[in-house]
Amino acid sequence: MDSIPKHTSLGRRECIPILHTRGTHYEIGFDIGRTFASLIHSFLSIYDPLNQEVLPVYETPDGKRVYEETLNHCVEHFPQYVDEIKGTAEGAGVPFHKLFLLHMEDIVPNVVSQRRGETPEVRQAPVGCSSICVNQPNNEVLSHNEDALHYVLNHFYLVSAHVISEEPQGRWKVKEEKFTSLCYAGHLPGFTMSYNHHGFIYSINIINPKHLVSGKTPRYFLTRALLAAENLMQAQQILRDHGSGSADGISVNMTFLNQEGDRLFHNAEIGPALNGASESPLDILTASPGEHIFHTNKYLRLKNIEEAGGRIIDSSEHRLDALNQFVSPKKCEDVLQMLGDQSDAELPVYCDSGYVRTIATGVFDCVKRTWTIYADNPKTHEPLIVIPLQTK
């Protein structure tokens, strides 16, 4: 594998590869790993947060204990998604534990620090992801800047999968899933912009609570489970995760194409299930016709949860301030101007340099039923692809 390119100096590519796959959870995982082996190997080789921060802690007895607690929990409640990660690891020819650690990279060092009586340090997390929902007559839009650490640039792809199982799988007893999701290399689908054949559309903003929990459900597994949701009730059930709760924090922006009545957009804020709680703290804001939602990477309503702080909060506040400088968005063109905004020289809405980059911008148009994806600033560039939203 020494000959596999590391993609470290390519600059921004106008390229998003896509895989269409059908099969069991393990089989689609294997196809993802086999198809994108080069990108996965390259990402693992350059991803310093895993190699320099997480793996050294994992190699300690405390780190192994936290890893096993969380893995055992996922095997019990979401064995099909563990199988997907196994398939990806075997398809790409990489160690399973490295891919699983990508799904709990904040949890391992945070929980180990707490158990040692230390204050968890503020890790260098992505300080981006901005979402805008617009609910106007004939302009019903969920849009999103996907921001990530610069290592992720050119290390992502689209997966369009049809998962078929003979028996109901996992705690929510799902037999069939059909979805399209933008995926970071080696990660489960569902953690970024995604939609499924039930007409469920969503985007994700990570949030970094100060204290995380092991033996609970990592946010990557909650968002993967969302790809099977048929309605808001099921989405809330998945995010509350009664009987366990989330290990960390997240925000979800969502709507349902096939809902009856008026178009509604929702923003859900989810916190970790701390102090022995058996479900995630959850708060949902709804935007009715004529309203809009802005969200970045901080709690706007679950303010009783202490956040890790640092640059992610500074960036979130700068981006929210920049978005609020605009007149309330009424149409898709307004959204593109806002998501491409770089008026804040220090922490702009659209980041194209530095430690954090906007790797892609997506616009779900609920009227036209399309998902438009930009590989560069949507304010100044044409879209790379327009995907029709195909539902049941």
Side-chain angles (χ1 to χ4, degrees):
M1 293 295 182
D2 291 341
S3 62
I4 292 178
K6 293 185 177 181
H7 309 285
T8 54
S9 57
L10 290 176
R12 182 184 293 274
R13 304 299 303 161
E14 293 265 343
C15 172
I16 306 176
I18 183 168
L19 169 68
H20 295 269
T21 177
R22 179 171 57 208
T24 65
H25 289 277
Y26 176 86
E27 288 168 344
I28 70 159
F30 186 89
D31 287 338
I32 291 170
R34 178 175 175 269
T35 303
F36 299 118
S38 174
L39 289 179
I40 294 169
H41 276 267
S42 172
F43 182 68
L44 290 178
S45 72
I46 67 170
Y47 192 50
D48 290 342
L50 175 69
N51 297 319
Q52 297 180 12
E53 301 175 40
V54 180
L55 280 170
V57 179
Y58 163 78
E59 294 294 345
T60 68
D62 290 336
K64 288 276 178 59
R65 191 174 302 112
V66 170
Y67 172 90
E68 292 294 338
E69 288 168 357
T70 303
L71 175 59
N72 291 340
H73 170 84
C74 293
V75 168
E76 179 181 357
H77 296 286
F78 302 97
Q80 73 275 36
Y81 304 144
V82 175
D83 284 345
E84 281 185 25
I85 298 173
K86 287 180 178 176
T88 301
E90 294 182 17
V94 299
F96 168 80
H97 76 276
K98 286 191 176 183
L99 293 195
F100 193 79
L101 283 168
L102 290 177
H103 297 82
M104 55 178 301
E105 65 174 295
D106 290 324
I107 299 169
V108 170
N110 182 284
V111 175
V112 168
S113 293
Q114 291 182 64
R115 291 183 179 179
R116 292 174 178 173
E118 303 165 356
T119 301
E121 63 179 81
V122 178
R123 299 185 67 245
Q124 185 67 274
V127 290
C129 288
S130 305
S131 291
I132 303 172
C133 300
V134 175
N135 199 354
Q136 295 289 336
N138 298 314
N139 286 281
E140 301 166 358
V141 172
L142 190 159
S143 59
H144 183 76
N145 273 357
E146 186 61 43
D147 292 3
L149 299 183
H150 67 92
Y151 311 99
V152 182
L153 191 67
N154 305 318
H155 290 90
F156 59 93
Y157 40 78
L158 284 160
V159 171
S160 183
H162 188 184
V163 187
I164 305 169
S165 305
E166 292 185 3
E167 300 294 333
Q169 298 288 308
R171 70 183 311 177
W172 307 122
K173 309 301 181 187
V174 178
K175 287 190 69 174
E176 182 184 22
E177 297 178 71
K178 197 170 186 180
F179 59 79
T180 301
S181 179
L182 187 75
C183 306
Y184 296 175
H187 293 69
L188 285 170
F191 193 62
T192 67
M193 300 174 274
S194 307
Y195 89 95
N196 71 15
H197 67 159
H198 301 297
F200 179 35
I201 294 167
Y202 66 92
S203 68
I204 301 297
N205 309 113
I206 69 161
I207 303 178
N208 281 355
K210 185 173 183 178
H211 300 287
L212 308 183
V213 197
S214 68
K216 300 281 187 178
T217 307
R219 55 192 174 198
Y220 290 91
F221 280 72
L222 292 180
T223 57
R224 174 64 186 84
L226 283 176
L227 287 172
E230 298 184 26
N231 50 54
L232 181 60
M233 183 180 297
Q234 287 188 9
Q236 290 184 73
Q237 183 183 48
I238 289 166
L239 295 172
R240 283 195 186 280
D241 198 35
H242 182 71
S244 169
S246 178
D248 35 21
I250 203 165
S251 170
V252 183
N253 312 278
M254 53 189 167
T255 191
F256 297 83
L257 282 179
N258 300 330
Q259 68 191 37
E260 295 181 1
D262 291 335
R263 165 73 49 216
L264 299 174
F265 291 93
H266 312 278
N267 171 263
E269 293 183 347
I270 301 94
L274 300 172
N275 303 317
S278 60
E279 67 177 32
S280 311
L282 175 67
D283 184 285
I284 295 182
L285 171 72
T286 297
S288 300
E291 299 178 337
H292 66 266
I293 294 173
F294 300 157
H295 210 282
T296 53
N297 302 95
K298 60 175 288 187
Y299 289 118
L300 300 179
R301 302 180 303 278
L302 284 179
K303 296 199 174 182
N304 61 323
I305 299 175
E306 187 177 6
E307 295 182 63
R311 199 165 173 81
I312 191 168
I313 298 297
D314 296 337
S315 173
S316 292
E317 292 173 348
H318 278 241
R319 285 178 283 125
L320 282 174
D321 287 345
L323 294 177
N324 282 313
Q325 295 302 309
F326 288 83
V327 176
S328 297
K330 303 295 183 186
K331 55 187 186 298
C332 185
E333 290 77 8
D334 299 335
V335 166
L336 298 179
Q337 292 295 309
M338 297 168 76
L339 290 178
D341 182 68
Q342 295 179 308
S343 59
D344 187 316
E346 180 186 2
L347 295 167
V349 175
Y350 191 93
C351 310
D352 59 5
S353 63
Y355 197 67
V356 172
R357 310 285 176 87
T358 302
I359 63 169
T361 297
V363 178
F364 292 98
D365 189 317
C366 300
V367 176
K368 296 179 180 178
R369 297 201 166 208
T370 56
W371 177 11
T372 302
I373 301 178
Y374 297 78
D376 212 321
N377 192 320
K379 186 177 176 179
T380 55
H381 289 74
E382 293 297 313
L384 183 61
I385 185 173
V386 179
I387 300 172
L389 301 177
Q390 299 176 334
T391 61
K392 251 184 173 180

